[in-house]
């Protein structure tokens, strides 16, 4: 997973300047350009899943190394 990947932060109040540039007319992509808060939570969940998979993989490797060391 790319650490430089941008994600929507609903608590970033510096983003208000970019939000003011969106026109008020919903027919001109006004509503379509608003950031979806669900995107932030989905990305955080995917990152959590990635971290847990990496940890499980490392644990399994350690267990396999211990088994190989005990057998020799």
């Amino acid at each position: 997973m790319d650490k430089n990947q941008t994600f929507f932060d609903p608590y970033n109040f510096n983003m208000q300047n970019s939000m003011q540039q969106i026109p008020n007319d919903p027919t001109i992509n006004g509503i379509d350009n608003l950031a979806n808060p669900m995107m932030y939570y989905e990305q955080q969940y995917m990152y959590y899943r990635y971290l847990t998979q990496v940890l499980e993989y490392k644990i399994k490797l350690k267990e396999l190394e211990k088994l190989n060391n005990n057998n020799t």
Side-chain angles (χ1 to χ4, degrees):
M1 186 158 197
D2 187 15
K3 291 183 180 180
N4 296 329
Q5 179 182 6
T6 60
F7 59 91
F8 173 71
D9 186 3
Y11 302 107
N12 184 2
F13 298 110
N14 295 329
M15 192 177 193
Q16 291 176 353
N17 294 337
S18 64
M19 295 295 281
Q20 291 173 354
Q21 297 171 356
I22 297 173
N24 291 332
D25 187 9
T27 60
I28 310 175
N29 297 329
I31 292 178
D32 295 337
N33 285 337
L34 292 176
N36 183 3
M38 269 316 279
M39 182 177 64
Y40 171 76
Y41 296 109
E42 287 175 0
Q43 288 179 345
Q44 295 300 314
Y45 174 71
M46 292 301 286
Y47 184 64
Y48 168 77
R49 277 186 47 194
Y50 166 76
L51 286 180
T52 55
Q53 288 174 353
V54 168
L55 285 175
E56 287 177 7
Y57 177 74
K58 287 184 178 183
I59 290 171
K60 295 290 181 186
L61 281 179
K62 292 275 186 184
E63 291 175 356
L64 184 63
E65 287 176 3
K66 284 182 184 178
L67 282 175
N68 286 336
N69 288 338
N70 289 339
N71 290 336
T72 57

